[in-house]
Amino acid sequence: VLRTQFVGDEEGRHRLAREVSSLQRVRSRWVAGVVGADPWGEVPWLATRYVPGPTLHDKIVNEGVLSREEVEQLASDLAEGIADCHAVGVLHRDVKPANIIMEGRTPILIDFGLARVADDPKITVTGLLIGTPGDLPPEIAVGDPATPASDVHSWASVVAYAATGRPPFGEGNSMKLMDRARRGEHDLEGVPPVSYTHLTLPT
């Protein structure tokens, strides 16, 4: 549901309606699809398919890093899900371990609350920073508009986390994290070499 401060706000309802329209364009086995929504009800809401399982973040914290085979499967499946979104012009904009539910060994993208249709001019509002600092691509950290490459950068960050159990740009102060992303100062120690014959990157 919309947060309390947005309930009754016309722009908030229009924003939710745009998000619903964006999500309904995505058809992917790797994405939790919309099952219902009412942006104009007394309490505006959106419901997606329920995915049983822990987030990737919680799975790594509680069970440890994934094996090389599991990392490559995660990378491939998640790449396909992101590519399915991009194919219909939708950017996720907040791909991170907490927004991926592990349905068994299958990663499912959730929480498109930050999604925008790629050609929506509202994603370029000056001074608007939306996303999670440790997972933000460098262009977003410096205030440039998101592109499909932004989701690919976040995809790579997720894969590195699954392989090492560490955020590739470290932890701590948000400004420091964004500066490391901007400079490309990532820690990939422990990430296994990828078998590219088995991996298709998102476009």
Side-chain angles (χ1 to χ4, degrees), residues 68-141:
R68 172 174 176 154
E69 177 187 0
E70 290 172 326
V71 169
E72 292 193 359
Q73 189 62 54
L74 170 79
S76 179
D77 292 347
L78 187 58
E80 186 171 338
I82 292 172
D84 288 340
C85 296
H86 292 177
V88 293
V90 173
L91 306 180
H92 187 286
R93 291 172 53 86
D94 198 24
V95 177
K96 61 183 180 181
N99 280 344
I100 299 165
I101 300 288
M102 298 303 295
E103 190 173 30
R105 297 179 62 177
T106 302
I108 306 295
L109 268 172
I110 64 166
D111 196 355
F112 278 70
L114 303 179
R116 294 289 186 274
V117 177
D119 59 2
D120 185 345
K122 291 186 178 294
I123 69 173
T124 62
V125 175
T126 301
L128 184 64
L129 178 64
I130 301 179
T132 305
D135 300 285
L136 282 175
E139 63 271 21
I140 304 301

Side-chain angles (χ1 to χ4, degrees), residues 9-28:
D9 177 82
E10 194 72 10
E11 177 55 31
R13 291 171 182 268
H14 279 291
R15 187 180 303 113
L16 179 60
R18 288 194 298 270
E19 303 304 342
V20 171
S21 176
S22 296
L23 266 178
Q24 288 175 332
R25 293 164 61 176
V26 178
R27 294 289 184 271
S28 176

Side-chain angles (χ1 to χ4, degrees), residues 2-14:
L2 282 182
R3 296 190 181 199
T4 305
Q5 61 265 39
F6 291 125
V7 173
D9 177 82
E10 194 72 10
E11 177 55 31
R13 291 171 182 268
H14 279 291

Side-chain angles (χ1 to χ4, degrees), residues 6-71:
F6 291 125
V7 173
D9 177 82
E10 194 72 10
E11 177 55 31
R13 291 171 182 268
H14 279 291
R15 187 180 303 113
L16 179 60
R18 288 194 298 270
E19 303 304 342
V20 171
S21 176
S22 296
L23 266 178
Q24 288 175 332
R25 293 164 61 176
V26 178
R27 294 289 184 271
S28 176
R29 62 182 295 193
W30 318 114
V31 173
V34 174
V35 296
D38 184 3
W40 308 106
E42 183 176 353
V43 178
W45 58 272
L46 164 69
T48 63
R49 177 174 76 85
Y50 173 70
V51 183
T55 65
L56 176 63
H57 173 271
D58 289 348
K59 180 177 178 65
I60 298 300
V61 168
N62 294 323
E63 301 177 21
V65 300
L66 303 185
S67 68
R68 172 174 176 154
E69 177 187 0
E70 290 172 326
V71 169

